[in-house]
Amino acid sequence: MLLSIFVLMKTINVMRRNLYTTLKKLVTMLAFLALLAVNANAQWTQTGGLSGKTVFSIVKAGSLMFAGVSAPVLTSGDVYVSSDGGNSWSIVTQGLNFSGIFSLIFKDNMVYAGTYEDGLQRTTDNGASWVNININNNPHTGVFELCKSGQNIFAYTNTGLAYYVTSNNGSNWSVAAGYTGGVTNDLLDNSSSFYAATYKGLYLSTNNGFNWSTRQNNGLPANPDGSKRLIALVNEGSNLFGSTNNPVNSIYRSTDEGNNWVQLGLTLSQNAYIKSLEKSPGRLYAGVSNVNAVHSGVWASSDLGATWFAVNAGFPALLNVNALLRVDNLLFACTSQNGVWKADINTLTSVEGPGSYTVPAGFSLEQNYPNPFNPSTTIKFTVPSYMAGRNFLLKVSDLTGKVISVLVNEKLGVGTYETKLYVEDVASGVYVVQLSTVEYSINQRIVLLK
């Protein structure tokens, strides 16, 4: 009898230890999953060494990365380098007293830095030493934009004849013919075509920057003086995308190299403008600067610009983005007074909602019912009176941004609307319902459970 009790007590103790071990593993697993959820929510993380800095440019240079830093007054700046894929940065121009760094390019194992008033600087030893490359016999010229096209380098300066091109890494420079675009904001090389975004619209070169011609620029919004301001450029196949500023802060698309443009689905407030455009497979990105921060940060589109959603999870409030750069699966954002941030493009989805701005009162998207669902569910949303007449897009996407269903795409009046989603041949999982106009978007997560 005593032996039986002893065996029973021993068995109970073993069971207690096993239960404790199981619970401990469960708690550890839940904590790990919670950490993953937090990290997934914080899509953007700040890189080290540039906190508080204003960064206007960034470039991949072989195994290294370089970032151009400027003081708010632009009269001082430095170049920083990263040897660990952009995770941390260190200065390489200490004591050189450069002015603000506006543009960086990498060509033939050399890094070129365009400065505010110290000309074009070049390093052949990863930043250990720098030399001034004379463009127009003025070592203190401002070099505001740089781009390489084939074997040529094109430079937009603020002195002399303004537009220069070299085919021998800066030993000799020629004045580019036909380039009268005024202020130049961005340059884009697309193999056979070389584009410039200027205050007078789009310019095109077919010989790597030596000769230029203006495009018709039909459809771009014009200032009272007739100028058509383009700020940033990116291309995707035969589609060329350009952002505009004053009087309309938006994104336009051209399929004929800038002769004709159509406005897309991202229109920003008066004080906001899109400083940079970038792309990854199936996705466009817009880096926005805005003094009021209503639309600041980074926006993304998975349908060639028709609709956009903010991807700002992890960013602080009032973050202004000056430049974007994609390196493989990483997207880097250069900001004002907040250094460089990075995100894995696979985490940049619309599930975080409309971003850092406030959705207008009365504009709502209710949680679907039932949820989880199979195979159908009801979705309700409300259009307030002051948003009546806008075009509303209601769509369902998976977490990669692939559209599963478009439920509404039309102009709507004031009221509460109800529609049903019915899915067939779609796998169980989490999906995103997005209700959007050209100005705002709201998202809800839904669960299909078969």
Side-chain angles (χ1 to χ4, degrees):
M1 181 67 178
L2 289 176
L3 180 60
S4 298
I5 293 174
F6 175 77
V7 172
L8 179 61
M9 291 180 64
K10 186 175 180 179
T11 301
I12 292 174
N13 287 334
V14 170
M15 292 176 64
R16 285 176 175 173
R17 285 196 299 269
N18 290 340
L19 179 61
Y20 174 78
T21 301
T22 301
L23 289 173
K24 185 176 179 180
K25 289 181 178 179
L26 180 60
V27 170
T28 301
M29 182 178 295
L30 290 174
F32 177 70
L33 291 175
L35 179 61
L36 286 179
V38 170
N39 289 336
N41 184 56
Q43 297 168 342
W44 291 92
T45 57
Q46 189 175 28
T47 62
L50 289 171
S51 179
K53 304 291 185 181
T54 293
V55 184
F56 284 130
S57 55
I58 186 172
V59 69
K60 180 79 164 59
S63 62
L64 302 177
M65 294 184 69
F66 289 81
V69 171
S70 298
V73 293
L74 303 178
T75 55
S76 64
D78 284 295
V79 178
Y80 283 69
V81 67
S82 172
S83 59
D84 58 4
N87 291 318
S88 59
W89 301 83
S90 58
I91 191 171
V92 290
T93 53
Q94 185 74 46
L96 295 181
N97 298 318
F98 284 161
S99 55
I101 309 299
F102 277 178
S103 185
L104 293 167
I105 62 170
F106 177 66
K107 181 178 180 292
D108 297 336
N109 295 316
M110 294 178 282
V111 175
Y112 296 80
T115 72
Y116 175 62
E117 56 185 9
D118 290 308
L120 180 62
Q121 303 289 329
R122 184 179 71 193
T123 178
T124 59
D125 51 16
N126 297 327
S129 61
W130 296 81
V131 296
N132 185 280
I133 305 300
N134 195 335
I135 294 181
N136 54 12
N137 297 317
N138 182 354
H140 296 292
T141 190
V143 181
F144 291 172
E145 287 293 333
L146 289 169
C147 190
K148 62 180 181 178
S149 179
Q151 288 301 309
N152 297 351
I153 296 174
F154 185 82
Y156 162 63
T157 72
N158 70 336
T159 58
L161 296 175
Y163 315 107
Y164 297 89
V165 61
T166 178
S167 58
N168 53 16
N169 289 325
S171 296
N172 304 99
W173 294 83
S174 301
V175 177
Y179 195 85
T180 58
V183 175
T184 302
N185 299 299
D186 198 12
L187 297 164
L188 174 65
D189 180 32
N190 185 28
S191 299
S192 60
S193 299
F194 190 28
Y195 305 103
T198 81
Y199 269 20
K200 296 181 180 179
L202 185 77
Y203 275 66
L204 169 68
S205 173
T206 56
N207 62 355
N208 306 112
F210 275 106
N211 298 89
W212 294 81
S213 61
T214 183
R215 310 304 286 163
Q216 294 178 20
N217 292 302
N218 297 322
L220 289 182
N223 286 296
D225 63 1
S227 62
K228 298 181 177 182
R229 295 186 176 184
L230 276 177
I231 304 299
L233 294 171
V234 72
N235 72 290
E236 179 64 43
S238 61
N239 295 286
L240 182 64
F241 301 88
S243 63
T244 60
N245 164 249
N246 190 12
V248 179
N249 303 326
S250 187
I251 295 178
Y252 288 72
R253 180 176 66 215
S254 173
T255 58
D256 57 5
E257 296 194 309
N259 281 326
N260 297 281
W261 298 83
V262 294
Q263 187 176 3
L264 301 179
L266 181 60
T267 300
L268 304 181
S269 57
Q270 181 178 2
N271 295 314
Y273 64 104
I274 299 158
K275 281 190 172 182
S276 182
L277 293 171
E278 185 57 283
K279 66 179 180 180
S280 66
R283 181 75 62 86
L284 298 174
Y285 304 96
V288 179
S289 179
N290 184 6
V291 296
N292 292 332
V294 177
H295 294 111
S296 61
V298 177
W299 289 66
S301 173
S302 300
D303 52 12
L304 294 177
T307 59
W308 295 79
F309 50 91
V311 286
N312 292 330
F315 277 153
L318 310 179
L319 188 75
N320 291 323
V321 176
N322 299 316
L324 295 172
L325 174 68
R326 182 178 70 89
V327 179
D328 299 325
N329 287 330
L330 293 178
L331 186 65
F332 292 87
C334 303
T335 73
S336 293
Q337 300 180 344
N338 273 282
V340 174
W341 294 69
K342 70 171 187 174
D344 188 322
I345 59 174
N346 296 312
T347 71
L348 294 178
T349 67
S350 60
V351 296
E352 297 303 329
S356 59
Y357 65 90
T358 302
V359 176
F363 179 45
S364 64
L365 173 64
E366 297 182 19
Q367 186 67 59
N368 63 306
Y369 181 83
N371 189 43
F373 71 97
N374 179 36
S376 64
T377 187
T378 299
I379 299 171
K380 289 185 179 181
F381 62 94
T382 300
V383 176
S385 59
Y386 56 87
M387 295 182 72
R390 287 177 169 85
N391 193 84
F392 289 82
L393 176 66
L394 182 67
K395 66 180 182 179
V396 181
S397 307
D398 63 20
L399 295 184
T400 69
K402 179 182 177 182
V403 177
I404 303 301
S405 178
V406 175
L407 301 174
V408 176
N409 186 11
E410 60 183 300
K411 292 181 179 180
L412 298 176
V414 60
T416 298
Y417 295 83
E418 181 178 306
T419 185
K420 277 192 174 292
L421 169 67
Y422 182 84
V423 292
E424 245 183 343
D425 301 324
V426 177
S428 296
V430 178
Y431 294 85
V432 179
V433 179
Q434 181 186 66
L435 176 66
S436 62
T437 68
V438 296
E439 299 162 304
Y440 302 101
S441 65
I442 314 174
N443 302 307
Q444 291 282 6
R445 283 185 258 186
I446 63 176
V447 178
L448 174 62
L449 187 60
K450 293 185 174 181

